[in-house]
Amino acid sequence: MSAGRGRFIVLEGIDGSGTTTQTARLVASLRAAGHAVVGTREPSEGPMGLLLRQALTRRLVGISDRVLALLFAADRLDHLASLVEPALAEGKVVVSDRYVLSSLAYQGMRLPLAWVEALNAAARPADLTLYLDVDVRTASRRRHARGGPTELFDADPVQRAVARAYGRVVRKHARAQRVVPVDGTGTPDAVAAEILSRAQALLSGRRRK
Ligand code: TYD
């Protein structure tokens, strides 16, 4: 990490783990602390991201798991080139709701993991990945309370498989993606405070265990 470059922070977790809420809270807190911050998400707002959202909500059907994996990887490289890398080059902090580990967990659980890893090898690693650890039942309760349309990976048995897949890839890629697990079952305030403290440790160059 050279001086003058920004920092890339990612939030990961199963559906209903709070990545979207906590990404917004982290962006707001870091801005309030005076950092220049870009909040973003994957699937991205770019053309491939729009296609992916259609597939996730089943407005677009008949996409195979392999094609979905290719689209997620393509969206990621597009997102990096169009938004993430330019912001980092300007020294900004980029916070993304989901990144590489989402593909390794969701796509890797249905396809050979090595192939999904290879598709994502060109995507720069995160400087910090906060994995929101939430049990499948709590996450399911939250998703039902939130309402809205059901998505491709929403069913509870699927989420149990996603959680197991995350367990594997979080361990395997802990070092590469600088993964720090965070207990995501607390109140939104408590989880936000823990996440902010981890992010601040990175941004101030302090090391925490
Ligand atoms: P989204 O509607 O953003 O869900 P949430 O706000 O609950 O995170 O959809 C993201 C979904 O896409 C989620 O089910 C995880 C899945 N996904 C993958 O399968 N692979 C990926 O690479 C990414 C980024 C997301």
Side-chain angles (χ1 to χ4, degrees), residues 15 19-20 42-43 53 56 72 76 98-99 102-103 106-107 146 151 153:
D15 292 82
T19 60
T20 304
E42 291 190 357
R53 285 186 193 287
L56 288 167
F72 275 116
R76 183 156 299 125
R98 302 190 173 281
Y99 191 55
S102 282
S103 280
Y106 288 81
Q107 280 64 60
R146 176 167 80 196
E151 292 197 343
F153 298 108

Side-chain angles (χ1 to χ4, degrees), residues 12-21 41-44 52-53 56-57 68-69 71-73 75-76 97-107 120 143 146 151-154 159 162 166:
E12 291 277 1
I14 65 174
D15 292 82
S17 63
T19 60
T20 304
T21 304
R41 63 174 180 169
E42 291 190 357
S44 77
L52 281 163
R53 285 186 193 287
L56 288 167
T57 51
L68 210 55
L71 283 173
F72 275 116
D75 180 47
R76 183 156 299 125
D97 178 358
R98 302 190 173 281
Y99 191 55
V100 170
L101 289 187
S102 282
S103 280
L104 301 187
Y106 288 81
Q107 280 64 60
N120 283 279
R143 289 200 313 281
R146 176 167 80 196
E151 292 197 343
L152 208 56
F153 298 108
D154 264 355
Q159 287 298 311
V162 173
Y166 260 123

Side-chain angles (χ1 to χ4, degrees), residues 37-56:
V37 188
V38 174
T40 188
R41 63 174 180 169
E42 291 190 357
S44 77
E45 305 293 331
M48 258 86 58
L50 294 182
L51 208 60
L52 281 163
R53 285 186 193 287
Q54 293 186 350
L56 288 167

